[in-house]
Every structure is written in C-alpha cells, then in structure tokens.
Amino acid sequence: MRILDTHTLKAGEIGDKIATAASTKFLFLLEGVAYDYSIYDESTLQRDMARVERFYRSRGFFDAHARVARVLQVGPKHVRVEIGVDEGPPTINRNTTFFGIDALPGHVADAVRRVARDAMPHGRRFDEDAFENSEAAVKKALTDRSYAFAVVDAQAEVDIGANVADYGFKVAPGPSAVFGPISFAGLDSEGSGLRKAHIGEDQLRRTIAIRPGAPYSTAEIDAATQALLELGVFSAVQIVPSLPDPPPADHAVPLTVKLEPVRMRQITLGGGVELDEIKTDLHLVAAWEDRNFLGGLRDFRVSFKPGVVLYPIRVDNWSGAIHPLPEAWLTVQLRQPGVLESRTTGFIRPQLNVFPMLVEVNPPADAPVVGYREVKIPLGFERTFTKKLLVSIGYTSQVEDPFAYIGGLEPGLKTIWLSYPELVTSLDFRDDVVRPHSGIYLGSTLQTAGGIFGGSATDVRIQPEIRSYVPIARGLTLATRASVGFLWASSYGQNWNAELESSATTTSSAITAPTAANLAQRATLERDIEIVYFRGFFSGGPATNRGFPLLAVAPHGVVPFLNPGTASQQVMSSCTPTSQRLQDSAAAAESCFLPVGGFTLWELQNEVRADIAGPLSGTVFCDLGDVSPNQNDIRLSHLHLSCGVGAAYDTPVGPIRADLGYRVQPLQVLGFANEYAAWKADPVNGLPPRLFTLPIALAIGIGQAF
C-alpha cells in the first residue's frame, strides 16, 4: 500500500486513516505469520479515496484530491495499491476576532486573546482539531479566572479562493464567581470497605485546599482532583461544580466531590525465580499494606522478600556442589500526606537487607563469597505539580556491613557508612506509564555525600535521563532512552584508572611481600573498590545494555576480597596483565578482572516495539553505552554496541519480557576487532562472559526495559 505525491502530510499518517492497508509482517519480515493477511476490496478502496480527501481537508488542504488509484499485480495472490494525491495549496490562518470581552479586566481579556491565538496561530496552516480545541481552551482561560458561567461560541470562515481562514470567538463571560460549599459523595458506598468513620472529611478538605469564598478556578479543581488521587485510597475522583442557569445571586459555585474508594488493607503473597549469567535465585514475596494506618490517610506498608541463591548454579552452569546462600529484603514504608502543606507527602522507608555480593560470572571453586548486611533509611518529602512534575527531596543514611558467606573475610574489608541528601525530579508526558506509545519522560537524580553529612564517602553524583516514544504506525512504537552520569569524588578513587591497572600487582605484592607499604596499598584498593561498588556507575543487564550481563559494562580490576586470599604466589601472579596464562585464557581473565564501577556513564537505547497478537508483543533493539574509570570522561570510542530481539507477554503485574542481545564485535571499543583484543590492550576494559560460547546475553524481567 503506497500513497504517492505527499509533500506536507506524511504517507504513514494518511495510511492510519483509511481501511486499505498492507499485510502486517511478523518481525518485519514474514507475512501471514501471527497476523492475518489484509484482503483487497475494491469498494473499500473507493471509500478510502473519499477518506483521503476528507483527511486532507481537516488539515487545511481544501483543494486536495485523491486523483487516481492503481492496483498492480505483483504476485499470484498479491497486489500493490497506489493512491496518487494532489495536495493543492494550504489554507492559512489569518484574522481572529473577539466579541464580548471588552468588559473583562485587562489581564483576563489578554489571557483570552493569547490562548485563542496560541491555538490558531496567525500564518499557520488551518487544522480542524486545533480549531475544535480552541473553543475549550478559551473557555478554560475564563473559568480558570473565576468566570465559572462563561459561554464561548467559536466560528471559522474559510475563503477557499484566497486560501485563508478567519476566526471569531463570541464570549459571554457571566459574573465573576467564587467557590461555594463542598460536599462529598461515595465515602460510605456499599461494599467499599471504607466508611466515613475511617476517613474524616477534614483530611480530605485539607488535601483539596479549596476554601469556600475563594475565586472560582477550574485549574484549582484539576489540582485538587490530582491531589486526592495521589492519596492512593480512591480509584476515581470527580469534582463536579454546580452551575445553574441563571447563576445564583451570590455567584457561589458549590462543589460535589464524587469518590470511588479502594479497599484500605491489602495482603500480597507470591514468589519468583531469577536466572542469569551470575546467579540463580529463588524467593518468596509477602507484603501487607494499610492505606489509613491509625487514621489520617497514612499509608503503611511492610514487604518482605526472603530467598536463597543456589550458588554456583547459573544459566550456563549447572554443575558443582550447591551452596545455598540465604538472602532477605525487608522494607517498611510510612507515607503521611499533608506534611508542611496540604499537598506535600512525607515519607520514611527503612530497609534491612542481607545479600551476597556476586559479580563474578565464572568464579573459581575456592573463591570466597562476601555478603553484606545493609541498613538503609531514606526519609523526606515529595510533591506533584500540574500532574506531570514530581519533586522529591530526601536524606538517606546507609550502612554496609560485610561478612563471609563462604571462606574468610579480608581484614581490610570494613563497614562503610554513606550519608547523603538526594533530589529526585521527573517530568512525565507519556500517554501511558506501563505501555507508552507516545510522549516524553525526563528524570534526574542528584546526591551529595559526605561533608557536613558525614560518612565514609565524600562525593557529588548526578544522573539525568530522557526517554522518548514516537508512534510509527498503529501498534508500532520507536522508543529511545539516553542517560549520562557523573560522579565527582574527593575522598576515594582519586586516580581510579591507575589503581585498577595495578590492582593485580597490588594484590599479589601484599601476599608475596607483606610490607607495611604493600599492605596499606592493598587496604586502600579494597576500601576504594568497596565504596565505588555502592557509589559508582554500572551498565549492562535487562534495563540498560541487554547484550551484557548485569553490571558487566564497567571498569574492571582485581578485587582482593573476591579473589582467593590463600592463593599461592603463582596463582596471584597469573592475574597480572603481562602473565602468559592471562593473555591466553579468557576464563582466567574473567576470574581475575571483575566489574568494580566507574565515575562517568553514558547510555543510549533504541528499540522498535510492535504489537503482535493480543497480549503478545515483540521488540527489535540496539543498546550502547560506556562507564569510564575517569571523571568527566564521556568515551564515545567505547560503544559496547549490542543488538537483538525480544518478546513480551502482558500479565496483570506488567509485561513479562525476555530479550536476547548480541554484542557486535567490531563496535565494542573502536579500533579493535573484538572485545578480547580490546581487553588484551587494556584489562581495565574487562572481558564480558559468553553464553554458550557466544557473545550474547539473555535478559528476563517484568516490565518494559524503559
């Protein structure tokens, strides 16, 4: 199906408006697989000719004609349909006239003129949708400024000969109004599990923050509606103004708040399996939530995820004696609405976690396994503005206490304390949070650790990101994500690249020649590795670069507390960059140089998402990015490009997704034929593990990659 001679409007945009369509190809290659063929129908094509002309006129081309339809036989059972179009000249917006606004205050009249002219800009092409929306926009400009009873009538006059359009807005503003009394409906609905005794109207009035007698404003009503929804106790909120005709003498507008409450208490039980190149994890999930804890609409939630890691079982390794490594994740959350002011929510989320630190893909049999007892206490405030902007300001105190799951614990491995305030912002213009098809998302995280806040690390960490979603066609979306990250540290990792380059020598020297200087150098390396692991950047895995295992895109080095501490001098020296064993054995490289985190990050993800059939969808993607050991070092020569395909199946908890990514070898580090050559030139680059001897990675998760 082809639409020819389009110059201003896109052929794909026109194709979405007609019934005749090309047969959809599965994975963009195969017709008749997963999708039904599109059947040619001559009568449908004739009606489509009229649809094309109607669409053009709605976009300002009143002289447009669908002049010809050609049907070409291209196979025994296939035809190609071509529609030729004469667009003709566009109709341009000219004058906008207003009636009935002379008696309005100057700032209100100016707002009406500005909104109308923004909706139908002078010199722009006529657009039917924009014209229809302009009437509502002008009315909202009035109702936002207390004119609740305003009536607006918009008319358009098109001079087809001159190809211009003039507009007139007739306004009857009515009296300036104020808010009247506020009443609630739905709090005691049958079977809701929620009664007036459980939620006091005083709390709801505080959240709404609309005072009777204040100037009427639909913008305030919209903000109040969003604030009530964000309490999390209502599935639907509608604030309905009473606007009788004629207006009452006092010009007061009563409001009725219609509420559909959800159940206040909830228990969640479940389980899951995590399987990747690093570990196999079995876990349970249990949670309890009360959305009106002790009254006042406090949201109290406890979640507990106990599990066990079946070490060393992995997706490509099913041999060896199994060592069960117990782990647990406990989170308690309390959210209090109306802190500081009516629409700001305070929160505290204490966490107690116990987990193994697994970063090695092919660990040797005698490798120790280090675990951490983590205590993390974030607290702060958050507020949503205009439905789209979320701002969260908080402080986190975090303690990481190491212990040994298997083997002994290195003496140089110490408990670290991280202390930092954090600013998180997001601006969300997506059409759907779970399955976006169009829109844009902006986010940023800023942290400042140490200094007056104390702790083991002093640094500044920032990571902004942008996501965009562009509809290509019906059921087809181009999604992109870009992110950069910068970590500026002053108390650790001052020459991180040099530390990692010499990490093998530092580790072995402390064993072969345990002088005070060598031991101190090793202790500094261990301390820096430990802090960077929790503060630095990593990439790779199901949410970033899907051709790599989790954390694999990062600077690599020898990690003393994850390499055998009792190894002989010969084993340790085999991890030096000049050792022949290391140069000849990828397995030795993987077990010696492990991801440790870096200071500068950049990521770029691109994918095309296609609806296949029902809840099944597919993805074709290419991801790339890098993490540098240096500060302020965006290395565009380190692409780490991986491309692949994925599939997702929608479930009540989100799409279950599987992605298979292949690392394109010449485009890992530019100038090197493959990732092994890049690693031989600089072991800090790391050598990603292979799955079934191939440079691929399999990622399985819930939810979209971004």
Side-chain angles (χ1 to χ4, degrees), residues 502-674:
S502 61
S503 58
T505 305
T506 299
T507 302
S508 59
S509 297
I511 294 177
T512 59
T515 65
N518 288 343
L519 292 174
Q521 190 175 14
R522 173 167 170 161
T524 299
L525 175 64
E526 290 184 340
R527 173 183 174 275
D528 285 357
I529 287 177
E530 190 178 17
I531 294 177
V532 174
Y533 180 81
F534 290 104
R535 295 295 293 162
F537 294 107
F538 294 86
S539 188
T544 53
N545 196 323
R546 285 160 280 186
F548 291 80
L550 194 66
L551 311 181
V553 181
H556 285 56
V558 172
V559 182
F561 51 85
L562 294 181
N563 291 94
T566 59
S568 65
Q569 175 182 347
Q570 290 77 20
V571 173
M572 291 308 301
S573 63
S574 72
C575 284
T576 60
T578 58
S579 83
Q580 190 62 42
R581 173 177 175 269
L582 199 59
Q583 293 291 317
D584 294 340
S585 170
E590 293 170 1
S591 63
C592 288
F593 285 83
L594 308 177
V596 293
F599 287 80
T600 307
L601 163 95
W602 70 270
E603 293 173 329
L604 178 61
Q605 296 175 260
N606 307 272
E607 68 180 35
V608 176
R609 301 172 182 172
D611 296 335
I612 297 177
L616 182 65
S617 60
T619 299
V620 177
F621 64 84
C622 281
D623 300 333
L624 60 163
D626 177 57
V627 179
S628 170
N630 305 310
Q631 296 185 17
N632 305 313
D633 184 26
I634 300 289
R635 303 187 301 183
L636 298 180
S637 60
H638 291 58
L639 298 179
H640 298 113
L641 176 67
S642 68
C643 297
V645 296
Y649 189 88
D650 278 345
T651 71
V653 295
I656 297 177
R657 176 174 52 89
D659 295 315
L660 184 66
Y662 171 80
R663 299 192 292 276
V664 182
Q665 289 302 291
L667 298 178
Q668 296 305 296
V669 178
L670 297 183
F672 297 95
N674 52 52

Side-chain angles (χ1 to χ4, degrees), residues 378-625:
L379 54 90
F381 309 95
E382 63 184 24
R383 194 188 196 283
T384 300
F385 299 87
T386 66
K387 300 183 183 180
K388 303 295 184 182
L389 175 63
L390 172 67
V391 178
S392 175
I393 300 175
Y395 165 80
T396 297
S397 180
Q398 179 177 345
V399 176
E400 303 290 346
D401 180 41
F403 68 96
Y405 272 104
I406 299 175
L409 192 67
E410 281 287 319
L413 203 58
K414 305 295 184 182
T415 299
I416 63 173
W417 171 40
L418 304 175
S419 175
Y420 54 90
E422 182 177 39
L423 172 64
V424 178
T425 58
S426 65
L427 193 58
D428 195 345
F429 293 101
R430 294 173 294 180
D431 61 340
D432 187 279
V433 175
V434 177
R435 295 191 62 185
H437 184 55
S438 65
I440 190 171
Y441 173 91
L442 303 170
S444 179
T445 302
L446 172 64
Q447 300 174 356
T448 302
I452 62 173
F453 303 102
S456 306
T458 301
D459 61 42
V460 175
R461 189 181 193 275
I462 185 170
Q463 184 177 3
E465 71 166 322
I466 179 172
R467 309 175 194 176
S468 66
Y469 307 87
V470 178
I472 302 175
R474 187 180 302 134
L476 208 61
T477 305
L478 172 63
T480 62
R481 173 185 173 270
S483 179
V484 294
F486 298 96
L487 176 64
W488 300 286
S490 59
S491 66
Y492 61 92
Q494 292 303 292
N495 197 350
W496 189 229
N497 189 65
E499 272 194 88
L500 297 180
E501 286 178 341
S502 61
S503 58
T505 305
T506 299
T507 302
S508 59
S509 297
I511 294 177
T512 59
T515 65
N518 288 343
L519 292 174
Q521 190 175 14
R522 173 167 170 161
T524 299
L525 175 64
E526 290 184 340
R527 173 183 174 275
D528 285 357
I529 287 177
E530 190 178 17
I531 294 177
V532 174
Y533 180 81
F534 290 104
R535 295 295 293 162
F537 294 107
F538 294 86
S539 188
T544 53
N545 196 323
R546 285 160 280 186
F548 291 80
L550 194 66
L551 311 181
V553 181
H556 285 56
V558 172
V559 182
F561 51 85
L562 294 181
N563 291 94
T566 59
S568 65
Q569 175 182 347
Q570 290 77 20
V571 173
M572 291 308 301
S573 63
S574 72
C575 284
T576 60
T578 58
S579 83
Q580 190 62 42
R581 173 177 175 269
L582 199 59
Q583 293 291 317
D584 294 340
S585 170
E590 293 170 1
S591 63
C592 288
F593 285 83
L594 308 177
V596 293
F599 287 80
T600 307
L601 163 95
W602 70 270
E603 293 173 329
L604 178 61
Q605 296 175 260
N606 307 272
E607 68 180 35
V608 176
R609 301 172 182 172
D611 296 335
I612 297 177
L616 182 65
S617 60
T619 299
V620 177
F621 64 84
C622 281
D623 300 333
L624 60 163

Side-chain angles (χ1 to χ4, degrees), residues 27-282:
L27 296 179
F28 314 106
L29 298 173
L30 304 173
E31 289 182 353
V33 177
Y35 300 96
D36 291 334
Y37 283 103
S38 295
I39 305 301
Y40 169 72
D41 184 283
E42 183 176 355
S43 61
T44 299
L45 179 59
Q46 292 302 316
R47 289 192 293 271
D48 281 339
M49 300 284 282
R51 291 187 181 104
V52 170
E53 293 183 356
R54 176 66 185 88
F55 178 69
Y56 262 98
R57 289 173 186 137
S58 72
R59 294 298 181 265
F61 294 90
F62 290 91
D63 292 328
H65 295 285
R67 53 180 167 78
V68 65
R70 290 186 291 267
V71 182
L72 308 175
Q73 191 88 22
V74 295
K77 295 185 178 181
H78 291 78
V79 295
R80 181 171 71 243
V81 177
E82 296 180 348
I83 296 179
V85 176
D86 283 331
E87 290 186 341
T91 296
I92 303 302
N93 298 335
R94 187 171 61 179
N95 297 323
T96 303
T97 306
F98 301 90
F99 304 92
I101 65 172
D102 295 339
L104 291 172
H107 70 282
V108 178
D110 290 343
V112 169
R113 294 187 186 96
R114 183 172 60 253
V115 166
R117 288 166 179 164
D118 287 346
M120 308 299 296
H122 178 78
R124 292 280 185 89
R125 174 167 44 85
F126 171 85
D127 187 280
E128 188 175 279
D129 291 342
F131 170 66
E132 291 177 355
N133 293 333
S134 66
E135 184 175 302
V138 169
K139 183 173 181 178
K140 192 173 188 307
L142 291 164
T143 57
D144 279 352
R145 293 164 176 82
S146 80
Y147 292 91
F149 302 93
V151 176
V152 178
D153 181 31
Q155 298 289 334
E157 183 177 295
V158 177
D159 187 334
I160 296 179
N163 297 310
V164 294
D166 296 321
Y167 305 97
F169 291 89
K170 183 179 180 181
V171 176
S176 179
V178 297
F179 285 116
I182 301 172
S183 60
F184 296 88
L187 285 183
D188 56 348
S189 57
E190 289 296 328
S192 68
L194 181 63
R195 303 283 179 178
K196 287 185 176 180
H198 295 142
I199 290 186
E201 290 186 1
D202 290 344
Q203 177 62 50
L204 299 181
R205 293 181 189 277
R206 175 175 168 80
T207 301
I208 291 172
I210 292 177
R211 180 176 55 84
Y216 180 89
S217 170
T218 47
E220 286 297 319
I221 292 176
D222 292 342
T225 301
Q226 184 64 26
L228 288 173
L229 287 170
E230 289 172 1
L231 292 175
V233 297
F234 303 110
S235 60
V237 175
Q238 185 181 15
I239 301 180
V240 181
S242 176
L243 300 170
D245 186 16
D250 59 0
H251 303 157
V253 180
L255 300 179
T256 300
V257 183
K258 298 182 178 180
L259 305 168
E260 293 185 17
V262 299
R263 293 198 176 275
M264 301 303 289
R265 295 179 180 85
Q266 177 176 294
I267 294 177
T268 302
L269 296 173
V273 178
E274 181 179 349
L275 178 64
D276 55 32
E277 293 90 340
I278 295 178
K279 68 177 181 179
T280 296
D281 168 284
L282 306 176

